[in-house]
Amino acid sequence: AGQLASDVVSQWRKARYQLHRLRKGIIHNDFHDNNILVKKNKCVGIVDFGDAMYSWYAADVAIALTHLCFHSRAHVIPLSRAFLQGYFSVFSLTATEKIYLPFLIQLRAALVVIECVFIRRTSAFERRIFAGAVFTMRYFRDQKKLGTFAKLLK
């Protein structure tokens, strides 16, 4: 896990000057299922803006997709497809943002790994999140899976 996270940080060092091309604005920064209120199968609200910040719009999408990977490893593609269809019906990403999305997903997962290691979180929930983050980093390094994911962005 440490080497995976280290590799993602190295990628970030190489890409950080290109990331300025991504659009920025105020984002939720913790966009996942526990922060989305649903009633009768329809989103009726979003809560928990405590982590909101000025960052890349694509980061909000990456965060949501990272959480999908944490909790539903066997269904990454169908759940990602459903999320992206809903999200893109309201707000779209540019071609450049779509190119960087898999990297931003890995970056979010690496941050979770680093947080878990350095803060020494050990509850059963945190161990599952850690394992999910490792899975996510590996998933988005697999060229075949990455190719399947990229088709969702077209």
Side-chain angles (χ1 to χ4, degrees):
Q3 186 59 50
L4 284 170
S6 179
D7 290 349
V8 172
V9 171
S10 292
Q11 283 181 280
W12 175 80
R13 285 188 179 120
K14 293 174 188 170
R16 69 179 182 245
Y17 298 110
Q18 298 302 314
L19 293 172
H20 77 278
R21 298 168 47 203
L22 305 183
R23 295 174 300 160
K24 284 185 161 184
I26 302 299
I27 66 166
H28 187 277
N29 202 41
D30 197 19
F31 196 48
H32 59 79
D33 58 331
N34 290 334
N35 290 333
I36 301 171
L37 303 177
V38 178
K39 185 174 184 178
K40 295 183 181 179
N41 213 22
K42 184 175 179 176
C43 176
V44 295
I46 298 172
V47 298
D48 188 9
F49 288 84
D51 292 332
M53 65 183 297
Y54 183 77
S55 188
W56 307 297
Y57 291 124
D60 244 1
V61 178
I63 291 163
L65 292 171
T66 302
H67 281 275
L68 284 176
C69 292
F70 287 1
H71 301 296
S72 304
R73 296 178 200 175
H75 307 292
V76 170
I77 295 300
L79 290 173
S80 295
R81 179 182 298 112
F83 173 80
L84 290 168
Q85 284 175 344
Y87 189 92
F88 291 162
S89 73
V90 178
F91 188 83
S92 61
L93 296 179
T94 66
T96 301
E97 289 166 334
K98 289 176 180 179
I99 289 168
Y100 280 99
L101 188 58
F103 168 69
L104 293 173
I105 292 168
Q106 288 185 65
L107 187 59
R108 177 61 172 208
L111 290 172
V112 170
V113 166
I114 291 165
E115 181 180 276
C116 287
V117 169
F118 287 104
I119 298 177
R120 300 190 190 278
R121 295 188 169 181
T122 58
S123 74
F125 172 77
E126 289 157 336
R127 285 192 305 271
R128 279 196 318 272
I129 293 299
F130 177 86
V134 171
F135 165 82
T136 302
M137 286 187 292
R138 287 186 177 138
Y139 188 94
F140 284 93
R141 289 170 157 249
D142 182 303
Q143 292 304 309
K144 184 177 178 186
K145 291 175 181 166
L146 198 53
T148 302
F149 180 80
K151 290 176 185 174
L152 302 177
L153 301 174
K154 296 191 186 239

